[in-house]
Structures are given as C-alpha cells and as structure tokens.
Amino acid sequence: MSVLGAPLCVPDALVARVPAEQRGPGRGRDAVRLLVSHGTEVTHHAFAELPALLRAGDLLVVNTSRTLPAAVDGRLGHARVVVHFSTRGTDGRWAVELRDPDGKGTTRARAGGPAGSVVRLSGDVRLVYEEPVAAESRRLWWVRVSGDVPGLLRRHGRPIRYSYTERDQPLSAYQTVFALPSPDGAGSAEMPSAGRPFTASMVAELVSRGVQFAPVVLHTGVASQEAHEPPYPELFEVSEVSARLINAARAAGGRVVAVGTTAVRAVEAAAGPDGVVRAAAGRTELVVTPERGVRVVDGLLTGLHEPEASHLLMLEAVAGRAAIERGYTEAVSRLYLWHEFGDVHLLLPDEGPH
C-alpha cells in the first residue's frame, strides 16, 4: 500500500465486476461483506449486521447527491472519443475528461486539449477546450459547452464505466437509496458508493434503534483511475438542520460516522477550528490528510480503495495508519471485494474492550 508505506497488491480476482445483486439468485444490493476496524482490532461481518454495530445516539452522515449519466460519445476531428463530464464551474464552464474507447465498452486515458480543440457531441452540441483545471495535470480541462449539459446527459449520457467492470449497468445501479434530485440538474460524475449497500429496510431498522441520519450534499467529480491524483474542488452543501443534528449528536456523546469519503469532505468543510459544524455551501478545496486531521468525524463507512488512491490519506486521518494497514491486510487475506460494487469497511474509534 504505497500511500501508507507497506506494499499491498490487490489481486484481479478481488475486483467486484458486477453489483452484489447480480452475483447470485436472491441477492440484494445489501449482500456484501462488512470489515470492521475498532482501532487495529478487526472483525468480519455481513452488512446486515450494521445496526448491531452502531448504537442509539450515533449519527450517520449521508451524501444525497444523485449519480449523473456523465459519459457521452463524441468526435474530435475524425476520432471517436468519450467525454466524462466532471464538475460544473461557477462561470458556466464544465470540467471534463476526454477518454478513448477501448473497443470493449470501456475507455482508456488520453490527454485533453489543446486549447481551442472542438469536440462534437450528439444533438449538435459542441464543447471547446479552454484550459487545464490544474497546471500540473492535463487530464481534466475547463470547456465551454454550446448546449444544455443536464439535458444532454439525460438524452445521450450513460453512467461512467471503468474497465474492471464486466458490462454496462443501468443508471439505477449507480444510485443509492439516499439520492435526491437537484433542482438545477447537478449531481455526481461517479456514485457516492459507500451508501450503495443501504436499503430502505436497513434505514428503517437503524432509525428504530435510535441511529440518526444527517443528509449532506457533495457532487463528486471524475476520479483519477490511472494517476491517483488528489480530489479537485467539488460543490457541497451542509444545511442548517444537518449542522444542528451533527452538533447535537456530538454534544450528547454519540459517534458521528460518515458514509463515504464524500460525506467526510462535506462535513469537515463545514466545520470550524472549534469543531462546530455550521451551515455552508459552495465549492470546497479541502483535502483531508493525516496532517490536517478531522474535526468532527469519529468513524467512516467506506469502500475498499486502491492502494495508491489518495482517499487512503483521508482514511488514515480518521482512523490512523496502523488501523488502515491492518484492515487492508485482512481484506486481502479474507478475499474482500474491491471498488464501487464491492464490500465495505467500517472504521470506528478504538474504545477499549468490546
């Protein structure tokens, strides 16, 4: 695991290539395994056991961003390309990633640009490249689009699919039970996947046990599957109601557990140096690292990330390096499944004997 220092290789056999509900008859999206880390103590569970692992007064922070059909076919000159729409800018531009079709239904990386390049999309829509989103990378570019992007995605888009998946999936496979439509058509380029195993019945059971939910929004952009770059600025919102719920839970001694790294980024962006969460909205550039630490989040429910992924620095900030190294070693040895359709990892504080 290069981010943490100890090498770790994830075998191809541990990649979740289809959703849980397609891996056998009678299975639902909650049919995944749950690795639990209390500090460096590791236990193994089914996801259905989550309510028994939480307690009355705990609070789950969930991301309600909907997944967009953010991949659209286009042409750059005579070449076929795929455009991944990532994030809408405050000036009306969009950050996009250009990809090459690989002939297998997925794509491979290519450099964007140069400035002035024109990509033709369906519906006589054109996008014009202007400048890289970050000077150190030419993967994501700011572009001007001649048409209505939310409408374009509704009519011609499909979910972003990566090469480790087996086949195309409907957009519904990339929505979580928490997803809500946005009035302006905004959403996430990629699914906030930690929330995927939850079902309505699981939410009802948690509520009946006294576990609270605080919804937040973070519209996640396109991840870097090849370069493992840190996250770019993303749009987020923490409402006054959710801020009050989080502060009240902390004051009463409950644990604040974020469902996904996106939820961590949103709530920590709304937290002051005093650890108090206040209503906030806009674009956050916060990158949660061990050096920065966390001010609000006590625990994290998350998927299993590639060993080189920058997300692991956030996990380390929440739980500590030793806990992540031990958990990931166990995950490989116990054959847990990786990526957005895979198993999940619950990181909780070490509170002594259980």
Side-chain angles (χ1 to χ4, degrees):
M1 187 179 304
S2 59
V3 168
L4 298 176
L8 177 68
C9 178
V10 179
D12 285 345
L14 300 188
V15 172
R17 302 190 184 281
V18 296
E21 60 271 25
Q22 297 176 20
R23 294 201 284 267
R27 294 169 64 98
R29 60 168 56 204
D30 57 347
V32 297
R33 298 167 69 193
L34 176 63
L35 177 74
V36 179
S37 294
H38 278 279
T40 56
E41 177 191 338
V42 176
T43 55
H44 305 276
H45 306 266
F47 183 74
E49 297 175 66
L50 177 64
L53 297 165
L54 300 175
R55 56 196 185 213
D58 286 346
L59 180 141
L60 295 176
V61 181
V62 297
N63 186 2
T64 63
S65 179
R66 285 181 62 85
T67 307
L68 298 174
V72 179
D73 293 326
R75 286 194 173 273
L76 178 61
H78 296 292
R80 293 178 57 238
V81 294
V82 177
V83 178
H84 287 177
F85 284 85
S86 182
T87 305
R88 180 162 49 192
T90 56
D91 58 0
R93 297 187 298 177
W94 279 79
V96 305
E97 179 184 32
L98 202 64
R99 309 273 297 187
D100 284 322
D102 62 3
K104 303 173 184 176
T106 54
T107 60
R108 55 180 176 265
R110 67 171 289 162
S117 298
V118 177
V119 178
R120 292 174 288 124
L121 305 175
S122 299
D124 200 29
V125 174
R126 298 188 174 207
L127 60 83
V128 180
Y129 275 75
E130 293 197 344
E131 60 182 339
V133 170
E136 64 274 12
S137 171
R138 299 181 69 83
R139 183 177 67 90
L140 286 177
W141 281 67
W142 289 115
V143 302
R144 293 280 179 188
V145 186
S146 65
D148 167 48
V149 173
L152 171 74
L153 300 185
R154 284 194 304 272
R155 291 188 297 272
H156 303 290
R158 60 185 180 275
I160 289 174
R161 176 188 162 200
Y162 290 110
S163 59
Y164 51 76
T165 56
E166 186 174 292
R167 55 182 176 267
D168 288 343
Q169 298 290 341
L171 184 60
S172 59
Y174 291 90
Q175 303 295 7
T176 74
V177 72
F178 306 112
L180 296 172
S182 175
D184 63 356
S188 289
E190 297 180 2
M191 172 176 55
S193 56
R196 190 182 193 280
F198 284 86
T199 62
S201 60
M202 165 72 80
V203 172
E205 181 179 356
L206 286 163
V207 171
S208 73
R209 288 172 174 255
V211 176
Q212 302 178 80
F213 287 82
V216 300
V217 176
L218 187 131
H219 296 313
T220 182
V222 175
S224 169
Q225 293 295 311
E226 292 84 14
H228 301 291
E229 299 160 356
Y232 288 94
E234 293 168 319
L235 294 170
F236 82 106
E237 180 178 0
V238 176
S239 69
E240 180 67 38
V241 171
S242 289
R244 289 177 183 172
L245 284 169
I246 295 166
N247 293 331
R250 297 186 72 219
R255 297 173 298 186
V256 175
V257 180
V259 177
T261 56
T262 61
V264 176
R265 195 179 200 196
V267 74
E268 291 290 328
D274 56 1
V276 175
V277 178
R278 297 172 177 87
R283 191 175 300 274
T284 178
E285 298 184 3
L286 175 66
V287 178
V288 179
T289 64
E291 292 73 27
R292 190 268 187 189
V294 288
R295 297 169 177 172
V296 178
V297 172
D298 301 302
L300 173 60
L301 180 72
T302 183
L304 293 164
H305 302 281
E306 287 286 354
E308 300 84 4
S310 60
H311 290 303
L312 289 179
L313 292 174
M314 180 185 288
L315 272 61
E316 185 182 341
V318 173
R321 176 179 299 214
I324 306 306
E325 288 184 340
R326 172 71 190 279
Y328 271 55
T329 299
E330 285 277 315
V332 171
S333 66
R334 296 295 189 100
L335 305 182
Y336 279 73
L337 296 179
W338 255 250
H339 294 303
E340 66 265 32
F341 297 137
D343 298 316
V344 285
H345 187 189
L346 177 62
L347 299 156
L348 292 172
D350 183 358
E351 297 172 332
H354 309 295

